[in-house]
Amino acid sequence: MNVRTVSIICPLFNEEKFIERCILSILEQDYPQDKLEVLLVDGRSTDHTADIVRRYIEKYPFIKLLDNPERVVPYALNKGLEAATGEVIMRIDGHCTYPTNYISELVRYLYELDADNVGGVWNTQPANDTAVCHAIALASSHPSGVGGSMHKIGASKIMETDTVPFGCYKREVFEETGLFDTDLVRNQDDEFNGRLQNLGGKIFLIPQVIINYTARDSIRKMRHMYYQYGLFKPLVNKKLGAPATIRQFFPLFFLLTLFFGGIASIFSPFVLKAYATCLLLYLFISLVVGMMGTIRTRRFAVMLIMPYIFLNIHLSYGFGYLRGIFKLLGGKSFNVKSNR
């Protein structure tokens, strides 16, 4: 059997809480280490991320640390691609840990399915054992929070899809598509995969490959992340020439309905009743989801917090999307810094 050489690219910025676990999960892979190179691309972290990485570089020569002075993800990915020598390019994230068969399974399916990109599903875990962190993790992996994003909510069988987390690509894919778009602080994977599909590429989700993803540890960080997801989505749509999915519009519709429905309710009793009914239904669904979390974690506060968590996700994404539209219409720059 021909064992492919694999280049793993991992963008980093201030990941001292997570990077050691991530590296250890790569070192525990069942894939031959002499066929691997791990390129950790650091955006000049201000914590001890680089120091932790250097400790492992001393022991494992296939691990390398690259500099990313621009500090944002697409630049890191492109620097990794320029340095990579493998037949397979695999992106990972320092916020995650990976099962021991992660590399071997994805590489196997990449060629068995004659795919251009394959990826696994997220098992979203709380950053800490608090009610807020449990609620954030649950909302970030539930259809009521993230819609029909299959790699977040889970799938029962291998399926062709529009995007996967991180991605495992044949090297030649990048010769056709080019590199990652450096205009996109967020959603660069979505844009790249959309570009790949426009060229006839095939992307598959492999549900038996499970990535342990750690959710954000505060509502503020979660809110900022979803705001940026929404902000860059209109730019992605412009670059691709069309929206990739319908689900991306729901938070924007929710935001606009909340605003204009509230105004219209002042003048119409009928609209007021419909508006109040929708809000109560939203609250009810949030509490039911929160109750599931309460049963699982035995923390009553999870149920009480869940409506606020959902509201933050939906409004942050919706407001970001709206601002992204205005930026496009006004010809303004999307140049913002990422903040994990």
Side-chain angles (χ1 to χ4, degrees):
M1 176 182 171
N2 182 24
V3 180
R4 314 279 179 171
T5 55
V6 179
S7 294
I8 299 170
I9 303 171
C10 182
L12 298 174
F13 182 72
N14 286 354
E15 294 284 7
E16 66 178 5
K17 294 180 181 178
F18 305 99
I19 187 56
E20 188 159 26
R21 286 184 296 172
C22 174
I23 292 173
L24 289 172
S25 73
I26 296 302
L27 293 175
E28 292 168 357
Q29 293 293 307
D30 59 15
Y31 207 79
Q33 289 188 351
D34 63 345
K35 296 293 184 179
L36 294 179
E37 67 174 353
V38 180
L39 305 172
L40 302 170
V41 191
D42 183 49
R44 300 188 176 178
S45 296
T46 57
D47 62 5
H48 295 291
T49 298
D51 297 329
I52 295 169
V53 171
R54 288 189 189 99
R55 291 207 307 265
Y56 284 93
I57 289 174
E58 292 174 1
K59 298 178 182 178
Y60 302 96
F62 63 91
I63 300 177
K64 300 175 184 177
L65 180 64
L66 305 181
D67 181 37
N68 176 28
E70 291 85 4
R71 290 191 163 187
V72 291
V73 169
Y75 283 98
L77 294 173
N78 291 343
K79 289 178 190 297
L81 284 168
E82 290 167 3
T85 61
E87 299 168 81
V88 174
I89 304 295
M90 183 177 290
R91 178 198 167 171
I92 64 170
D93 189 279
H95 233 63
C96 301
T97 59
Y98 305 87
T100 56
N101 64 348
Y102 182 75
I103 298 172
S104 58
E105 283 291 275
L106 289 187
V107 172
R108 177 167 74 89
Y109 280 108
L110 182 66
Y111 287 92
E112 280 189 6
L113 297 170
D114 192 24
D116 298 282
N117 181 16
V118 293
V121 300
W122 278 352
N123 171 33
T124 304
Q125 300 177 326
N128 295 301
D129 189 24
T130 65
V132 168
C133 287
H134 281 289
I136 290 172
L138 177 57
S140 299
S141 58
H142 194 276
S144 297
V146 294
S149 185
M150 300 306 295
H151 71 271
K152 294 179 181 178
I153 65 175
S156 59
K157 62 182 180 179
I158 294 173
M159 58 188 297
E160 192 168 352
T161 185
D162 59 305
T163 193
V164 291
F166 316 140
C168 175
Y169 305 88
K170 293 174 180 174
R171 185 183 184 86
E172 55 265 29
V173 161
F174 297 93
E175 296 172 7
E176 288 191 55
T177 60
L179 301 179
F180 288 90
D181 193 319
T182 55
D183 289 340
L184 298 167
V185 171
R186 295 283 186 190
N187 302 335
Q188 65 279 152
D189 289 343
D190 292 345
E191 188 277 336
F192 183 87
N193 287 323
R195 213 186 322 152
L196 177 58
Q197 287 186 303
N198 287 343
L199 291 170
K202 293 185 177 181
I203 303 168
F204 286 90
L205 184 70
I206 314 299
Q208 60 265 41
V209 176
I210 300 173
I211 305 161
N212 289 321
Y213 169 78
T214 303
R216 294 299 181 260
D217 61 3
S218 73
I219 295 174
R220 179 186 63 81
K221 290 180 182 178
M222 179 200 73
R223 187 166 53 228
H224 182 79
M225 181 181 70
Y226 280 100
Y227 168 78
Q228 286 198 335
Y229 283 149
L231 177 67
F232 283 92
K233 206 66 174 179
L235 183 58
V236 170
N237 295 340
K238 179 184 177 184
K239 288 176 177 289
L240 294 177
T245 62
I246 297 299
R247 66 176 181 266
Q248 65 184 265
F249 295 112
F250 292 162
L252 176 62
F253 292 154
F254 176 72
L255 173 66
L256 295 177
T257 300
L258 201 64
F259 179 76
F260 290 109
I263 293 175
S265 296
I266 299 172
F267 305 100
S268 168
F270 174 77
V271 173
L272 177 60
K273 289 180 182 178
Y275 187 72
T277 300
C278 289
L279 289 180
L280 288 173
L281 181 61
Y282 184 88
L283 178 62
F284 175 74
I285 293 172
S286 300
L287 290 173
V288 169
V289 175
M291 188 180 297
M292 293 164 50
T294 289
I295 293 170
R296 191 167 66 192
T297 65
R298 298 182 180 180
R299 292 176 179 271
F300 182 69
V302 171
M303 183 178 70
L304 300 180
I305 296 168
M306 192 58 67
Y308 184 65
I309 299 293
F310 276 145
L311 197 63
N312 272 269
I313 289 175
H314 298 147
L315 292 185
S316 297
Y317 191 108
F319 182 70
Y321 202 105
L322 188 62
R323 191 173 181 197
I325 291 172
F326 284 133
K327 277 181 175 287
L328 278 182
L329 295 176
K332 294 182 179 180
S333 171
F334 280 76
N335 186 23
V336 300
K337 292 182 178 180
S338 178
N339 180 4
R340 294 193 72 92

